Amino acid sequence: MFVRTTYATGDPATLDEAVQALTTEGRQQLTGEPGFRGAGMFADRELGKLVTGTWWEDEAAMQASADRMGKVRAQVLSSFATTVTVDNWEAAVAARAESVPEGARFRLVRLDFAPSDADTLVDAFENGVLPRLRTMTGFLGGSLLVDRAAGRGAVGTLYADKDSLAASRSPVAALRGEATSRARATLRSLEEFEVVMVESPPPS
């Protein structure tokens, strides 16, 4: 599968207005798009950051929706966003959450790597990091997104609540160090968010 992410920043006072627009007009447009396979929305209400991810069954479906969803995105984010960054990714490893309770939390890590090390990074996450994450209390799911040609990656992990997210920080820091060392990757950012919405894949 493939994923389009949007990273928007703006005035925290208008973030809820953008969330409302995304979960109404934005969601309505998305669910009618061919190849749409789910979405997530994550917020930092204090700083005014909003992250969304939309899942697509293949790269062609993601690309075909780009113009239409770009117009919708500009409209629904107009009252909030002062910066908007859109990226397209391959979902190299996807262990998606079956259900996400109210109060769930999300951790986002971005990294750079040599394109020749992409498969090493995928293996490190799939066979090293993910099995150990699954043993942690409150872990709900996690995915590794990559742009192989550009040598960029993003890891998103979901936790059931604020406490399980906090409890994971120390053990996950060790895992992160091992995986980035093995894949010769450089960590670029580490952020945590409130889960606003996670939409399961619609029926085929």
Side-chain angles (χ1 to χ4, degrees), residues 76-174:
V76 299
L77 290 177
S78 61
S79 65
F80 163 69
T82 53
T83 70
V84 179
T85 302
V86 179
D87 290 300
N88 296 319
W89 310 89
E90 170 197 346
V93 183
R96 299 176 68 185
E98 294 182 5
S99 62
V100 178
E102 185 176 351
R105 293 293 189 269
F106 177 71
R107 179 178 292 125
L108 175 65
V109 173
R110 292 184 183 272
L111 357 103
D112 295 342
F113 55 89
S116 58
D117 287 328
D119 288 339
T120 302
L121 178 64
V122 171
D123 181 68
F125 182 78
E126 185 171 26
N127 298 309
V129 174
L130 189 56
R132 291 160 71 180
L133 287 174
R134 292 185 192 275
T135 69
M136 296 183 187
T137 301
F139 175 73
L140 300 176
S143 300
L144 168 64
L145 312 180
V146 297
D147 179 336
R148 293 175 183 267
R152 298 184 303 130
V155 175
T157 48
L158 286 163
Y159 293 85
D161 50 39
K162 187 176 181 180
D163 289 343
S164 59
L165 176 71
S168 74
R169 287 172 185 149
S170 290
V172 169

Side-chain angles (χ1 to χ4, degrees), residues 4 44-45 47 53 58 61 63 68 70 78-79 88 94 104 118 120 124 131 140 150 167 169 180 182 186 196 198 202:
R4 178 186 298 117
D44 181 331
R45 296 179 186 276
L47 293 181
D58 53 35
Q63 291 176 343
R68 291 186 295 273
S78 61
S79 65
N88 296 319
T120 302
L140 300 176
R169 287 172 185 149
T180 53
R182 178 181 166 191
T186 300
V196 177
V198 171

